[in-house]
Amino acid sequence: MKAEKRREEMLAVLSNSDNPLTANVLAEKFNISRQVIVQDIAILRANGVDVIATNRGYLINTKTAATRVFKCRHSFEEILDEGFLIIELGGRVEDIFVNHRVYGRISARLELYNRTHVEELYRSLVSGASKPLMAVTDGYHYHTVTAESEQVLDNIAAALRAKGFLIEI
């Protein structure tokens, strides 16, 4: 397969994927080395394709129409409820951050785009390897959430409010 055709197919595969794809997965799919995938991604970017590299793999930036920051508070056990609620209503949890009185703003990328991502995060926190970031601020935390429209974000806000998670800013 010629390189240009491979990059077109790679773009189609990335565009149609709901989840990030690793260079190893792409290399196996196209029967080429991981290094060639990295080079192809660089060429796609040079040609104006907005390819994002995450800790879970590559994805195409599908620009969303709306972004909002929600201030929330809930227990550790309710992390799954919060994540599922946002995802099921059409939101994507981009990050979490807290405002610590001594250290200032502390943030982490989450990139929770489906139920599996939420479950993976929860499992890693339950394992005890680390505490959730919200633990340093007595449960208070912020999420940047993206969605297709302001209406979707309004629906998420209403649902978070109904569950008692939303703190009005």
Side-chain angles (χ1 to χ4, degrees), residues 6 10 13-14 21-41 58:
R6 182 183 63 243
M10 187 183 310
V13 167
L14 287 167
L21 299 172
T22 66
N24 289 337
V25 166
L26 291 168
E28 187 174 309
K29 176 164 183 56
F30 292 101
N31 199 28
I32 56 175
S33 73
R34 183 184 176 287
Q35 184 57 38
V36 172
I37 293 296
V38 172
Q39 292 168 352
D40 282 352
I41 294 293
Y58 295 108

Side-chain angles (χ1 to χ4, degrees), residues 3-17 21 26 29-30 37 40-41 43-45 47-52 58-62:
E4 189 172 323
K5 176 75 171 152
R6 182 183 63 243
R7 285 189 288 275
E8 286 176 18
E9 288 187 24
M10 187 183 310
L11 180 56
V13 167
L14 287 167
S15 296
N16 292 319
S17 176
L21 299 172
L26 291 168
K29 176 164 183 56
F30 292 101
I37 293 296
D40 282 352
I41 294 293
I43 291 168
L44 288 171
R45 286 177 171 155
N47 289 328
V49 178
D50 193 3
V51 181
I52 300 171
Y58 295 108
L59 58 93
I60 302 297
N61 187 12
T62 54

Side-chain angles (χ1 to χ4, degrees), residues 10 17 26 33 61 79 88 103 115 119 153 161 163:
M10 187 183 310
S17 176
L26 291 168
S33 73
N61 187 12
I79 289 173
E88 289 168 2
Y103 301 119
R115 289 181 65 92
E119 291 166 348
L153 292 174
R161 190 176 296 111
K163 290 284 283 183

Side-chain angles (χ1 to χ4, degrees), residues 103-121:
Y103 301 119
R105 181 177 171 154
I106 305 169
S107 65
R109 295 284 308 154
L110 290 180
E111 298 167 348
L112 306 177
Y113 304 151
N114 59 42
R115 289 181 65 92
T116 303
H117 294 160
V118 176
E119 291 166 348
E120 287 171 357
L121 171 68

